[in-house]
Amino acid sequence: MSHAGVDIVKALLADAGLLTGPIDDQRAAMDAASAGAPPPDGVTIEAVTLGGRGAEWLTPDGIGRDAAVLYLHGGGYCSGSLNSHRDLAARIGIASRCAVVTLDYRLGPEDPFPAAVTDAAAYRQLVVEGIPADRIAIAGDSAGGGLTVATLLALRAEGTSLPAAAVCLSPWVDLTQSAASYQRLADLDAMLSKENLDFLADAYLAGADPRTELASPLFAEDLSGLPPLRIEVGAHEVLLDDATGLAERVGAAGNDVTLTVWPEMIHVFQAFPGVILPETDESVAGIGDFLAGQLSR
């Protein structure tokens, strides 16, 4: 028997066009999906600039900014926005009892690789403004999950103190789309396909080698020295092998990594209402507990 909630989400996605068609259409569909959605109750929104890019602080009531989660949205490096991921980021803030800052990093094809990685280094501004590195986490979904790991590698390479923790939801960490799950799970994935991810990867890379580690962190030669990492992925998404491969390589490099594979779940299921997918609330609560524990050290 199939999961009733997943069937509902698949029906909603069937005509949404979130990750199909021309890039402008994908952007419009993602914005339309979030249009008019109010932020969760008890969260204050403040528009700011971070690292020269637009950003938003999402601060739960009664919480200060002595700690922060830098959230990097998904969208295949070519779509997604502060609007599209405000609700998910805010719910993570509530669950972690921590302020979250979302970043409007540059997108391809207008601003190809490595523009997104350069922008995500806005993390440094949080430190400069007085939040200690051990009180900051970086989190992201899909392309934002890959960007989370790429940002850690870029910061490590330049000698910047790394954050206390990181979270990757359904991370896209292999822009070659060569893993077996792209074929094995193609009929179960309601949102992603190898064909569209190939298209988005080409638009983002603009001729760069897809195996470059800041584009595809799965291929990084050295993944040691990273902060504790929590990875969550659905069992029915083509990015499953990206997530499991990342967990295996990060763990083999001596890092603290936790991988959760959610049965029957689809790509970034945490973005869908918990009333439809009860697993959403369970996952977000676990992410919140992980972040709260790491940031309170």
Side-chain angles (χ1 to χ4, degrees), residues 101-127:
V101 58
T102 56
L103 182 69
D104 186 25
Y105 61 86
R106 287 173 291 172
L107 302 174
E110 296 89 346
D111 294 291
F113 172 82
V117 183
T118 300
D119 291 348
Y123 159 89
R124 294 190 299 262
Q125 184 176 332
L126 297 175
V127 177

Side-chain angles (χ1 to χ4, degrees), residues 233-281:
V233 66
H236 286 182
E237 58 174 302
V238 296
L239 290 181
L240 176 61
D241 288 357
D242 279 47
T244 58
L246 177 66
E248 180 179 355
R249 291 215 56 221
V250 168
N255 302 288
D256 178 1
V257 59
T258 301
L259 169 69
T260 302
V261 179
W262 290 85
E264 299 185 80
M265 288 297 102
I266 59 175
H267 187 61
V268 194
F269 67 90
Q270 296 88 351
F272 299 99
V275 66
I276 298 176
L277 296 177
E279 291 87 349
T280 289
D281 292 339

Side-chain angles (χ1 to χ4, degrees), residues 6-297:
V6 171
D7 290 343
I8 292 172
V9 172
K10 286 183 176 180
L12 293 173
L13 290 172
D15 298 319
L18 291 177
L19 286 173
T20 58
I23 287 172
D24 285 346
D25 290 352
Q26 294 188 37
R27 291 174 179 172
M30 188 167 284
D31 284 343
S34 58
D41 291 338
V43 176
T44 299
I45 302 172
E46 181 186 359
V48 295
T49 299
L50 189 70
R53 299 296 301 169
E56 283 185 349
W57 277 103
L58 307 170
T59 308
D61 291 349
I63 299 298
R65 294 185 186 170
D66 56 332
V69 177
L70 173 62
Y71 194 87
L72 305 173
H73 68 75
Y77 291 109
C78 294
S79 65
S81 66
L82 301 181
N83 291 333
S84 66
H85 285 68
R86 184 179 293 119
D87 177 72
L88 174 56
R91 286 189 282 111
I92 289 174
I94 293 171
S96 62
R97 300 170 293 284
C98 184
V100 175
V101 58
T102 56
L103 182 69
D104 186 25
Y105 61 86
R106 287 173 291 172
L107 302 174
E110 296 89 346
D111 294 291
F113 172 82
V117 183
T118 300
D119 291 348
Y123 159 89
R124 294 190 299 262
Q125 184 176 332
L126 297 175
V127 177
V128 169
E129 291 182 352
I131 305 177
D134 63 4
R135 297 278 285 157
I136 302 173
I138 302 179
D141 65 278
S142 195
L147 183 55
T148 293
V149 184
T151 301
L152 296 176
L153 296 177
L155 294 171
R156 186 192 63 183
E158 68 183 31
T160 297
S161 296
L162 297 184
V167 174
C168 296
L169 308 181
S170 302
W172 187 25
V173 290
D174 173 5
L175 271 60
T176 71
Q177 288 69 252
S178 56
S181 57
Y182 284 91
Q183 303 299 328
R184 186 176 74 251
L185 300 173
D187 292 339
L188 293 174
D189 195 318
M191 187 180 296
L192 302 183
S193 69
K194 181 183 186 304
E195 293 73 19
N196 191 56
L197 289 173
D198 285 344
F199 168 69
L200 294 174
D202 287 345
Y204 172 57
L205 292 168
D209 183 353
R211 296 178 67 91
T212 300
E213 69 175 20
L214 296 186
S216 296
L218 186 64
F219 299 123
E221 291 186 7
D222 180 11
L223 285 167
S224 65
L226 301 185
L229 175 63
R230 184 182 182 99
I231 303 170
E232 305 216 357
V233 66
H236 286 182
E237 58 174 302
V238 296
L239 290 181
L240 176 61
D241 288 357
D242 279 47
T244 58
L246 177 66
E248 180 179 355
R249 291 215 56 221
V250 168
N255 302 288
D256 178 1
V257 59
T258 301
L259 169 69
T260 302
V261 179
W262 290 85
E264 299 185 80
M265 288 297 102
I266 59 175
H267 187 61
V268 194
F269 67 90
Q270 296 88 351
F272 299 99
V275 66
I276 298 176
L277 296 177
E279 291 87 349
T280 289
D281 292 339
E282 183 181 351
S283 172
V284 171
I287 292 164
D289 288 344
F290 168 77
L291 290 170
Q294 297 296 327
L295 296 177
S296 64
R297 293 184 176 184

